[in-house]
Amino acid sequence: MDVLERDDLSFPQSLPDFQRLFPDDAACAAYLEKARWGDSFVCPHCQTAGAPFRFTSRPGVLRCRKCRCDTGLTAGTVMERTHTPLSVWFWAAYLVASQTPGVSATQFQRQVGLSRYETAFQILHKLRAGMVRPDQDRIGGGACDHVEVDETWVGGRTRGKGRGVHDKLLVAGAVEVRQRKPGTKLDKRKSGRYAGRVRLAVAPDRSAESLCGFIQGAVAVGAPIITDDWSGYASLAKRGYKHLAVAERGDPQVVEEYLPIIHLVFSNLKTWLSGIHHGVSDQHLQAYLNEFTFRFNRRFYPFNAFRSLLGIAGDVKAPPTRSFTQAIGGT
């Protein structure tokens, strides 16, 4: 459920707005209840609709008036079984969604006043799990001109290991290319082209199975796609795409003409990973790609992303806490 279009849910436009809307855990609980059930709570145990019993001392619990079963507001969400106050989760969602570069776990720990870095890391990482809709649609629909697809190496340290690629992960990317209307402020920049939605995923290798598999999951069949002439993309036409393979041959002018937007996305991604998080571990790279994708696709309405994140998170279960213990650094 994406609550982006829900007019009944307010969202904070500034820090004072946030403090006014969410002064305590009770206010956060009321907002979360409305985000999940609207104006009519439906008991998940007996399917009875109606106002539940509420408890001042336990704002995160609703009790059905018919079957007397308790329902946790965070059950089935990335906040399930949390011992952290809802207000801290809401602060995390707001900072992640509204700040252009996002927020690192160290920054979040310091700004909210958490005593443990591990708590800050786990909260942010669980929110990243809620940044991907279970029913996420594929890009490349009628609103875009075409889709640029490429892959890049991310992370790793190569100093002292000789030539070649060492300790890096391959990331496949696809981005919609849209055209600005003539006469707008930036219509002459990159021939009026700009990025629409993006999809990013860690790829195991550069084989046709991996790259074309990513494309089939991310891009609508029949969409026009531009790639370089790597053999891994050769079967796209057989898979139902309108494929144009461009031989770059190391010529920057060819790249600027045919694949400028995806390279810009990759450049922004690497700058963000190194600048905000100072590198990330292999284990958690996909989660950070999800965050980058979430923020990039909502860059034109960043404040709405806050309530969108809470709505999406209501349909996604967080990864188990034990999955964070092995590689909690590098954020």
Side-chain angles (χ1 to χ4, degrees):
M1 174 187 64
D2 192 333
V3 296
L4 183 61
E5 301 300 330
R6 292 268 302 272
D7 292 333
D8 58 329
L9 290 173
S10 302
F11 65 93
Q13 297 279 1
S14 63
L15 289 177
D17 270 357
F18 182 94
Q19 293 174 315
R20 177 180 57 81
L21 286 172
F22 308 113
D24 50 32
D25 283 353
C28 296
Y31 188 95
L32 185 58
E33 179 184 347
K34 197 165 190 176
R36 299 195 64 187
W37 289 290
D39 294 325
S40 180
F41 169 76
V42 178
C43 176
H45 304 282
C46 67
Q47 305 304 314
T48 299
F53 290 113
R54 296 179 175 84
F55 307 93
T56 303
S57 60
R58 301 168 68 195
V61 176
L62 304 176
R63 179 170 294 174
C64 177
R65 293 179 181 270
K66 181 178 181 180
C67 69
R68 305 285 172 162
C69 290
D70 290 344
T71 298
L73 279 173
T74 60
T77 75
V78 296
M79 298 175 283
E80 187 170 10
R81 299 183 183 277
T82 184
H83 297 290
T84 304
L86 283 178
S87 56
V88 175
W89 282 94
F90 271 57
W91 268 117
Y94 179 75
L95 292 174
V96 166
S98 63
Q99 293 194 16
T100 301
V103 61
S104 69
T106 302
Q107 291 172 316
F108 177 58
Q109 178 193 9
R110 181 174 61 251
Q111 290 180 359
V112 182
L114 295 174
S115 59
R116 299 178 69 247
Y117 169 84
E118 290 79 5
T119 301
F121 179 86
Q122 290 177 12
I123 288 174
L124 293 178
H125 213 64
K126 288 182 177 181
L127 283 176
R128 291 183 185 110
M131 291 179 179
V132 180
R133 254 193 229 107
D135 57 345
Q136 186 182 60
D137 57 339
R138 291 182 288 180
I139 65 175
C144 76
D145 187 31
H146 60 272
V147 177
E148 293 178 8
V149 176
D150 204 356
E151 73 282 347
T152 189
W153 296 99
V154 171
R157 295 179 175 87
T158 60
R159 184 175 299 175
K161 294 190 177 184
R163 296 182 178 180
V165 177
H166 305 278
D167 303 329
K168 291 178 178 283
L169 290 183
L170 186 68
V171 172
V175 60
E176 294 176 335
V177 178
R178 298 180 180 177
Q179 197 73 31
R180 291 186 175 90
K181 295 180 180 179
T184 57
K185 186 176 181 180
L186 299 174
D187 64 344
K188 294 183 179 180
R189 183 182 178 184
K190 294 187 181 298
S191 301
R193 292 172 291 181
Y194 72 100
R197 295 175 297 171
V198 67
R199 295 286 184 265
L200 298 168
V202 175
D205 50 50
R206 297 182 71 204
S207 67
E209 180 180 359
S210 297
L211 296 179
C212 291
F214 160 74
I215 292 171
Q216 287 181 301
V219 183
V221 175
I225 293 178
I226 298 179
T227 70
D228 57 26
D229 61 346
W230 173 247
S231 59
Y233 299 115
S235 63
L236 283 177
K238 295 180 180 179
R239 299 172 187 256
Y241 296 96
K242 301 172 184 177
H243 180 215
L244 172 62
V246 178
E248 295 181 0
R249 302 292 189 266
D251 188 341
Q253 291 184 348
V254 174
V255 174
E256 181 64 21
E257 176 64 26
Y258 291 98
L259 294 168
I261 307 300
I262 188 63
H263 285 201
L264 181 62
V265 169
F266 286 154
S267 177
N268 290 342
L269 170 66
K270 293 176 182 180
T271 300
W272 175 71
L273 289 174
S274 62
I276 299 298
H277 300 287
H278 306 292
V280 300
S281 66
D282 296 356
Q283 178 182 352
H284 298 305
L285 177 57
Q286 184 60 57
Y288 286 93
L289 296 181
N290 294 345
E291 180 183 349
F292 180 88
T293 299
F294 177 86
R295 186 178 292 105
F296 188 92
N297 290 347
R298 291 163 176 78
R299 65 193 184 279
F300 297 123
Y301 35 86
F303 291 109
N304 282 11
F306 163 70
R307 59 182 190 177
S308 180
L309 174 58
L310 289 177
I312 296 172
D315 288 337
V316 180
K317 288 192 176 182
T321 301
R322 62 177 178 273
S323 68
F324 304 125
T325 59
Q326 295 179 351
I328 202 167
T331 64

